[in-house]
Amino acid sequence: QVFLWVTSTLNVAVFRGHFDLEDLVAEMKKQSPALNFGPLQPDGQIAVHGSFPALRVLREFLLSKAKSLPEGDKREGKSHQRLSRKLQEHRGAVEMRNSVRDAHREKHVVVLDTDVYHYMKFFCPRTFQANDVVISGVTDGDITTVCIESAGTKAGAAQGLRAKKMIENYSVEFQNILRKERLCFKGHSRREKQRYKQLCERLRPRYPAVLITPYDTHIDFVGTSADVFEFTEEVKR
């Protein structure tokens, strides 16, 4: 199995002025013992390594911290809005505001492994299509943030929630069955790289469930263990 472990970089500097960052990190470690934490950097960034479920637990913890900030006066209210916006935009913490509702729209955010996201987009495109719902993805390295926005009506909210559940269900399923192999081009000439890419295209019809993504430095193959193994071995031969 693959795609079960990722590394995210969190910027907890957005909490500075509200919490002691060292104490906050200590709480994070206590709350999420299944995660591995790197050292806290002077700019407030910290690397976190672990599974998606464990990262979601950390997300909920940080969300509760964000909600606990005072909003009594105008200045504090604006500070809290800026904090929430920064958390939402940041890689790894971007799923914190899981559902944001106002008078005009409802928004859900789901964080996916980037390879799983591309596999879903290619083989299950209807997952990212729904009536009265706008679904967009922003990729940042190994993680892609999917934003699901719908009209603030009852029907629109139901469609948005349905789309979110479908994306989450497919994500869990694919995380458990997919694997990725990489064919690196190190030491290969431009002509050899082109030959490999042409070969992959010729083999594609025989492996319709394998996602083939060529880059300048390598080619990625994503699919089930059996399909990816057979495809990779045939390419090597």
Side-chain angles (χ1 to χ4, degrees):
Q1 297 179 354
V2 77
F3 311 129
L4 299 181
W5 295 85
V6 295
T7 298
S8 294
T9 301
L10 304 182
N11 186 356
V12 296
V14 292
F15 287 102
R16 186 174 281 129
H18 301 282
F19 301 103
D20 180 275
L21 296 189
E22 293 286 354
D23 291 342
L24 177 61
V25 171
E27 285 190 70
M28 291 163 58
K29 292 179 179 179
K30 184 178 179 180
Q31 177 69 27
S32 303
L35 295 174
N36 294 319
F37 293 81
L40 178 63
Q41 303 299 319
D43 61 357
Q45 295 194 47
I46 182 170
V48 184
H49 178 75
S51 66
F52 273 100
L55 286 171
R56 290 191 180 102
V57 172
L58 180 61
R59 173 209 64 191
E60 296 300 329
F61 168 74
L62 291 176
L63 176 59
S64 67
K65 285 291 185 182
K67 288 182 177 179
S68 71
L69 298 180
E71 295 185 271
D73 58 44
K74 185 176 180 180
R75 182 184 60 83
E76 289 175 330
K78 289 183 178 179
S79 175
H80 181 265
Q81 291 171 9
R82 288 194 301 270
L83 169 63
S84 297
R85 187 164 55 250
K86 288 180 180 179
L87 287 174
Q88 182 185 350
E89 293 170 352
H90 191 270
R91 173 187 179 185
V94 70
E95 197 185 357
M96 288 176 181
R97 295 182 67 185
N98 190 25
S99 177
V100 181
R101 180 179 298 176
D102 58 28
H104 305 290
R105 70 178 188 276
E106 181 175 87
K107 179 163 67 175
H108 301 283
V109 178
V110 181
V111 175
L112 304 177
D113 177 276
T114 294
D115 291 306
V116 171
Y117 169 74
H118 287 311
Y119 194 89
M120 291 170 61
K121 284 278 288 185
F122 189 83
F123 290 106
C124 309
R126 292 179 64 86
T127 306
F128 300 94
Q129 301 169 5
N131 294 331
D132 301 320
V133 176
V134 177
I135 303 176
S136 59
V138 177
T139 296
D140 183 5
D142 294 334
I143 289 179
T144 293
T145 303
V146 178
C147 182
I148 306 156
E149 292 189 80
S150 59
T153 63
K154 185 176 181 179
Q159 289 283 0
L161 185 60
R162 188 177 299 112
K164 173 179 178 290
K165 292 297 183 183
M166 184 178 296
I167 292 171
E168 290 177 334
N169 290 340
Y170 269 116
S171 173
V172 171
E173 177 184 347
F174 286 141
Q175 284 178 24
N176 288 328
I177 66 173
L178 295 179
R179 66 173 292 179
K180 178 172 72 173
E181 290 289 345
R182 174 168 293 177
L183 174 64
C184 294
F185 288 150
K186 186 176 181 180
H188 290 79
S189 66
R190 180 177 299 179
R191 179 176 296 180
E192 289 173 328
K193 295 178 183 179
Q194 188 61 31
R195 284 168 53 191
Y196 271 118
K197 293 178 180 179
Q198 292 173 349
L199 173 60
C200 289
E201 287 302 315
R202 290 199 299 270
L203 292 174
R204 187 190 295 271
R206 294 171 54 186
Y207 298 89
V210 174
L211 178 63
I212 305 167
T213 309
Y215 298 92
D216 290 337
T217 58
H218 63 274
I219 303 178
D220 284 341
F221 313 124
V222 179
T224 64
S225 296
D227 284 346
V228 168
F229 176 78
E230 291 179 11
F231 186 92
T232 305
E233 289 300 307
E234 188 156 354
V235 171
K236 291 178 179 179
R237 286 196 300 268

